[in-house]
Every structure is written in structure tokens, then in C-alpha cells.
Amino acid sequence: MDLLKNRILQDGKCFEGGILKVDSFINHQMDPILMKAIGEEFARLFADCGVNKIMTIEASGIAPAIMAGYYMNLPVVFAKKKTPKTMENILMTKVRSFTKNREYEVIISKDFLTPDDRVLFIDDFLAYGNAALGILDLIRQAGATLVGMGFIIEKAFQEGRKDLEQTNVRVESLAIVDDLSAGKITLR
Ligand code: 5GP
């Protein structure tokens, strides 16, 4: 996706510890034209996988997931990082956050993830793969099936893809960062 790659090179910023800041167009301020193109590309890549639900995790996965859901004409559900007091019937897992360096609980209602679901998981970043593996755990607890995972940006040097591919799931990333050292963004 040239539109995305050019934007990363133009507006992305490297931070210590292998963090790429893209908060002027993905993580804080958002570019709907770019997000629309991202949703369209995910829809094209996963068109023939028999997906019936898109799943993501709040907050930054919601925008690309809703755009993909729009193009695929599918419902979108997001896993929550805080449990609402009124919520019953939940599935819970724990995820280690790479950017915040702590563990947090992620939940989803059993009402919206069921054994009938064939799920496409969409998120903003693939780093070490912890968030994605947490989602896979929720999908397994629900008896649902994970058919694919789509990421806007994959940081290949953090090797999350390795663990995900061991689960035999299809992994697609729209831009792959090979290196962020010395303050320079190197895309594949
Ligand atoms: P993982 O669980 O794959 O290690 O990390 C995925 C999550 O951490 C993503 O959902 C994203 O929110 C956050 N993350 C990981 N690396 C980066 C990064 O370089 N930049 C930003 N903005 N978020 C990141």
C-alpha cells in the first residue's frame, strides 16, 4: 500500500526502544481517507476466507476494523480493556503491553463472540504479538474460529509474526518496518 508507506515515511517518528509514533494519522489524530483505503485493502485481502465477524481491540484497532467491516459488510466487535460494571457473561484474558510495559485484562461479551463466528482480527500494530495472542485466547475460549489477522503496520524486527504463524493463521500486514534504529524508518 503505497499511500500508507509514503505516509509512514513522511510523518512517522522513531522513538527509543523500537517504537514508531504515527499519532498524526493513526493513533491520535486520524486520517479518514487513509483509513478508508486501509479498510478497502483488508477487505480485498480477506475476501475469500469465509469471515463473518471482524474483531479488534480498543482503542486504535477500532478505526481500521470499522472501515474493513464497512467494505466487507460484516459486524465489528472490539475487546475492551476495562470491564463495565453492568457486563455479565464475559470472557477474559491477560495481555502484556509492549508500549506501556505492564499486563492488563482484556474482555469480551459471550453475546458477541460465539462458536458460529469465523473471525478476522484487525489491529494497528503487530510488534511482539501479545495482543493478537490474547485475542486468539478469547476466540478459543468462545469456541469461535480465527481465520486471519490483519495489521496496518508490522515491526518485523520484534518477531510477533513467528508466534502467530505457528498457530497456522494467515497474517497480513499493509506495511512492514524492517528497522527503526538510528532514528531512520526502513520499510520493506
Ligand atoms: P504486541 O502485542 O504485538 O507486542 O503490540 C501490539 C500493540 O502495542 C498494538 O495494538 C499497539 O497499540 C501497541 N504498539 C506496539 N508497538 C507499537 C509502536 O511502535 N507504535 C505504536 N504507536 N503502538 C505500538
Side-chain angles (χ1 to χ4, degrees):
M1 262 196 82
D2 288 344
L3 187 66
L4 172 63
K5 289 183 186 172
N6 290 338
R7 191 64 180 273
I8 293 169
L9 293 174
Q10 186 189 302
D11 292 333
K13 305 227 169 2
C14 303
F15 276 71
E16 295 239 322
I19 293 180
L20 176 63
K21 209 161 177 186
V22 287
D23 61 354
S24 64
F25 58 103
I26 292 178
N27 288 131
H28 195 4
Q29 176 171 265
M30 289 183 279
D31 179 345
I33 307 300
L34 176 66
M35 224 33 110
K36 174 174 173 279
I38 285 169
E40 210 168 358
E41 181 64 2
F42 281 135
R44 189 185 69 78
L45 289 167
F46 292 102
D48 302 322
C49 300
V51 175
N52 67 357
K53 183 164 289 182
I54 295 177
M55 191 169 166
T56 188
I57 182 164
E58 64 179 350
S60 297
I62 295 177
I66 199 85
M67 287 296 184
Y70 174 78
Y71 280 103
M72 298 175 89
N73 197 16
L74 293 175
V76 178
V77 62
F78 64 93
K80 291 177 179 257
K81 291 179 179 167
K82 285 202 181 103
T83 310
K85 280 202 184 91
T86 53
M87 205 157 151
E88 292 166 335
N89 234 354
I90 60 167
L91 301 169
M92 192 272 284
T93 193
K94 289 190 175 166
V95 170
R96 172 125 221 109
S97 166
F98 157 79
T99 42
K100 299 196 177 83
N101 195 24
R102 66 178 174 86
E103 203 172 65
Y104 58 95
E105 291 182 353
V106 175
I107 59 114
I108 190 162
S109 165
K110 282 186 198 167
D111 295 343
F112 305 123
L113 190 61
T114 72
D116 295 333
D117 285 327
R118 290 178 52 80
V119 177
L120 168 61
F121 172 65
I122 301 267
D123 204 3
D124 58 343
F125 273 89
L126 171 59
Y128 294 97
N130 295 321
L133 288 170
I135 293 298
L136 178 58
D137 183 37
L138 291 177
I139 289 170
R140 284 185 172 148
Q141 288 183 47
T145 307
L146 177 66
V147 298
M149 294 196 160
F151 301 92
I152 302 178
I153 301 172
E154 173 180 347
K155 294 186 291 179
F157 55 92
Q158 288 168 341
E159 302 193 342
R161 177 182 283 267
K162 243 185 353 206
D163 289 340
L164 300 185
E165 285 183 338
Q166 271 172 14
T167 67
N168 282 328
V169 70
R170 178 167 163 206
V171 179
E172 300 277 1
S173 305
L174 305 187
I176 299 182
V177 181
D178 276 325
D179 190 31
L180 282 180
S181 57
K184 186 173 172 290
I185 303 169
T186 308
L187 295 181
R188 188 164 300 175

